[in-house]
Amino acid sequence: MKLDVNALRYLSKDDFRVLTAVEMGMRNHEIVPTELIDRIASLKHGGTYKVLKNLLKHKLLHHDASKYDGFRLTYLGYDFLAIKTLVNRGVFTAVGRQIGVGKESDIFEVATEDGTVLAMKLHRLGRVSFRAVKSKRDYLKHRRSYNWLYLSRLAALKEFAFMKALEEHGFPVPNAVDCNRHCVIMSLIQGYPLVQVKQLQNPDTVFETILGIVVRLAEHGLIHCDFNEFNIMINDDEKVTMIDFPQMVSVSHRNAQMYFDRDVECIFKFFRKRFNMSSEENPDDSDDSEAELEDGVRPEFSDIKKNSGFLDKELAASGFTRKDQDDIEKFIEVEIEDSVTDDEGNDNMDETEVKHFESLQLDEKEEDGKNEDEKSTKNDRKVETEDNSEDDNQVADEHGLEDGEQIEDEDEDDPELVKRLNKQRRRAVKAAHGGRRNLTSRNTYKDKGGRSSHNSKIQKQLSNW
Ligand code: ADP
Ligand code: MG
């Protein structure tokens, strides 16, 4: 997918405020009613409709009037929110060329202020097969929260958490720099995916190193589940780096043995085919050599001393919970069962096409909101998790307001306030679904009796933009 970040520079505070309001509304609505967007955004001088039009023009939103008048974020809109947050945090200042595209992600180069180039992975979970999975799986049917926003965000969080933990245990992985929404920032690996490598100086050493990683992962309680020539990077010194972790599972997973064997088989198969390992090692007796390769070296899952739960502490420290793991596993399981290798589109890098970095000089004032921003991101995460754990939350299920939920969450010690907010929420829900679709009637929904803490808190959260 093209990522034209140019528009990012021209978007105003109000634009981002409304974009964020749509994001918030999407926790409980596939299509967020326009009235609700207006209400959440509460622009000081009104004008939500004009802003929506502008966002639509830049393809950051999609308009849907089939059931009621509303909007949803596009991938680009979500990308912009993540990129803006990370730029505000000072993680990078410019976005460069695309260096990879997988079935479930787009990878770009980004540059920091001092010119260091990093890799940015934007997760696109659900891009290809979410619909298919949705129809297959009962648990997804009644859970609006299992949308691509939520899943892509979980995938990014999982990838970030695993990368960090693996790095701490000395595994050859990229350095995990930061993570926001569906976006992971990591060090750029100077090298190529193994699939692009036609010759190796020491194929047997590389082969052993790679198998060693699979075994050591299992000893640490983990299976990669997509360990193949697309997800192993190699540099000119034949140093190996493994990438792509959202599908990793624990060795205690019920299909662990199968996943482990499959990872191992992928490596064997690739090295046999590409580097003709057996005949090269022993040109006179290729059959025996192959047998040795098959029987002598092949690691057995049952032989490995596994220490499951070993990385749990590190993962939890990155904010990735057991429940997150369960949620994403349910989704990804279907995918990895369906395909062993998926990345036919990965090899898309055009060496000659070096695009200049698009510098992202944003309004300096926005830096002020940095801490608030981080706080609200964490908050989002918290709310999202809780949101999804409440199957029977009637109000939330019936088009409840995410912002209301958050406030309820924060102020549960104040029953008076909770009562008031619930009342307000019911009113807003009624308004949003009561067929009052006339955009010019925006003011009808403004609180006449002074802004409630409901609005002021959202405003606080949104003031980062
Ligand atoms: P997917 O989950 O979509 O398969 P990957 O993480 O495997 O995504 O990345 C896709 C491609 O992007 C890789 O095959 C590789 O070419 C490139 N890539 C990913 N991460 C990095 C990185 N940190 N440094 C350099 N290239 C990378
Ligand atoms: Mg991959």
Side-chain angles (χ1 to χ4, degrees):
M1 193 185 95
K2 269 208 185 130
L3 179 63
D4 181 4
V5 288
N6 257 316
L8 198 51
R9 273 173 292 178
Y10 307 113
L11 294 180
S12 68
K13 262 188 153 142
D14 279 358
D15 288 327
F16 272 104
R17 222 181 140 85
V18 172
L19 204 56
T20 310
V22 178
E23 181 190 28
M24 286 172 135
M26 281 184 73
R27 305 265 170 75
N28 292 305
H29 300 263
E30 261 174 65
I31 305 292
V32 191
T34 307
E35 281 93 345
L36 186 55
I37 299 169
D38 183 47
R39 223 185 134 69
I40 298 174
S42 310
L43 297 186
K44 264 197 200 106
H45 308 291
T48 304
Y49 185 64
K50 219 173 115 196
V51 173
L52 284 169
K53 247 175 85 177
N54 189 38
L55 296 173
L56 201 59
K57 193 182 89 193
H58 289 296
K59 297 193 165 53
L60 305 179
L61 293 180
H62 173 81
H63 183 225
D64 188 318
S66 53
K67 291 197 187 109
Y68 48 81
D69 196 69
F71 293 83
R72 65 166 170 79
L73 281 179
T74 59
Y75 271 128
L76 191 62
Y78 203 40
D79 293 348
F80 271 34
L81 285 171
I83 290 171
K84 178 112 158 51
T85 302
L86 289 163
V87 169
N88 282 356
R89 274 188 205 165
V91 179
F92 61 89
T93 56
V95 175
R97 63 173 187 162
Q98 182 159 12
I99 51 170
V101 56
K103 192 174 72 172
E104 315 262 75
S105 76
D106 289 309
I107 323 272
F108 295 84
E109 285 181 348
V110 292
T112 65
E113 196 152 29
D114 68 6
T116 312
V117 180
L118 302 169
M120 168 173 77
K121 179 166 177 177
L122 296 163
H123 284 264
R124 313 269 189 228
L125 220 69
R127 172 160 67 184
V128 173
S129 50
F130 180 60
R131 202 162 293 157
V133 174
K134 198 175 177 183
S135 61
K136 267 192 224 166
R137 297 255 164 179
D138 275 356
Y139 65 84
L140 290 167
K141 272 188 192 149
H142 307 291
R143 302 286 296 271
R144 283 203 204 104
S145 44
Y146 277 96
N147 59 24
W148 59 266
L149 280 189
Y150 176 63
L151 288 164
S152 301
R153 187 180 185 124
L154 263 194
L157 183 59
K158 178 172 178 184
E159 177 140 85
F160 182 73
F162 276 71
M163 211 185 297
K164 242 183 147 44
L166 290 170
E167 189 186 2
E168 269 155 31
H169 285 275
F171 283 91
V173 295
N175 169 244
V177 176
D178 208 341
C179 167
N180 180 262
R181 296 180 171 86
H182 62 321
C183 176
V184 178
I185 307 294
M186 61 187 123
S187 62
L188 184 77
I189 303 303
Q190 300 294 345
Y192 323 88
L194 196 54
V195 67
Q196 291 179 10
V197 177
K198 302 284 175 250
Q199 257 188 335
L200 284 173
Q201 292 285 337
N202 301 298
D204 42 347
T205 313
V206 175
F207 176 74
E208 275 163 29
T209 306
I210 292 172
L211 273 190
I213 295 173
V214 183
V215 172
R216 213 156 75 78
L217 270 180
E219 286 169 354
H220 283 72
L222 293 170
I223 301 165
H224 188 287
C225 284
D226 199 11
F227 203 64
N228 55 47
E229 61 273 24
F230 296 96
N231 292 327
I232 297 166
M233 306 279 291
I234 192 150
N235 71 5
D236 290 338
D237 300 329
E238 306 199 341
K239 184 182 174 294
V240 164
T241 307
M242 89 176 141
I243 57 167
D244 202 0
F245 317 107
Q247 66 292 317
M248 273 186 140
V249 300
S250 158
V251 286
S252 54
H253 190 282
R254 62 191 155 77
N255 293 328
Q257 164 104 42
M258 187 269 281
Y259 292 143
F260 178 87
D261 289 345
R262 202 176 62 180
D263 276 359
V264 170
E265 178 53 24
C266 275
I267 307 303
F268 269 81
K269 212 165 134 189
F270 178 75
F271 272 80
R272 234 186 277 132
K273 248 173 99 176
R274 176 68 57 93
F275 302 112
N276 201 16
M277 284 271 295
S278 51
S279 52
E280 245 177 46
E281 267 181 315
N282 198 347
D284 298 333
D285 198 356
S286 63
D287 278 358
D288 276 354
S289 167
E290 174 130 5
E292 190 190 320
L293 198 68
E294 285 292 344
D295 303 328
V297 198
R298 186 178 285 261
E300 288 295 334
F301 189 62
S302 52
D303 292 344
I304 297 172
K305 259 182 111 181
K306 298 170 279 286
N307 190 349
S308 58
F310 194 63
L311 293 175
D312 281 359
K313 229 171 83 189
E314 285 91 336
L315 295 176
S318 297
F320 190 71
T321 63
R322 271 258 117 215
K323 186 181 171 297
D324 291 339
Q325 171 73 359
D326 290 347
D327 277 359
I328 199 166
E329 238 174 51
K330 277 180 215 150
F331 176 78
I332 286 181
E333 213 166 73
V334 185
E335 309 248 302
I336 52 181
E337 272 162 17
D338 284 354
S339 64
V340 176
T341 54
D342 59 306
D343 304 313
E344 72 275 350
N346 270 342
D347 184 2
N348 78 326
M349 205 206 298
D350 180 354
E351 292 293 338
T352 56
E353 188 213 340
V354 181
K355 198 175 158 237
H356 289 301
F357 280 91
E358 300 286 359
S359 170
L360 302 169
Q361 297 301 327
L362 300 165
D363 188 353
E364 272 177 18
K365 271 181 288 171
E366 286 155 8
E367 273 298 310
D368 300 342
K370 192 178 150 186
N371 290 336
E372 267 296 317
D373 184 33
E374 276 167 6
K375 211 170 80 196
S376 74
T377 308
K378 280 199 190 109
N379 236 340
D380 281 358
R381 206 169 273 161
K382 184 170 152 240
V383 169
E384 194 158 65
T385 309
E386 283 165 11
D387 171 24
N388 289 309
S389 66
E390 282 175 18
D391 263 331
D392 51 356
N393 183 344
Q394 272 293 326
V395 191
D397 231 28
E398 293 174 326
H399 24 262
L401 286 171
E402 173 54 33
D403 46 319
E405 265 172 348
Q406 181 167 355
I407 290 152
E408 199 172 320
D409 204 47
E410 283 169 354
D411 297 296
E412 55 196 354
D413 288 334
D414 184 347
E416 256 310 298
L417 182 60
V418 171
K419 221 167 110 189
R420 215 171 64 227
L421 289 169
N422 275 340
K423 202 168 152 197
Q424 193 173 33
R425 174 156 61 180
R426 278 196 299 274
R427 257 207 332 262
V429 167
K430 218 168 131 195
H433 289 263
R436 291 152 79 176
R437 286 173 210 159
N438 184 358
L439 289 167
T440 54
S441 67
R442 185 184 54 243
N443 290 334
T444 323
Y445 306 118
K446 281 191 177 160
D447 292 311
K448 293 274 157 59
R451 284 276 151 89
S452 64
S453 62
H454 166 106
N455 276 344
S456 66
K457 283 201 179 169
I458 298 165
Q459 270 173 348
K460 204 167 128 204
Q461 184 172 351
L462 290 175
S463 67
N464 317 315
W465 301 122

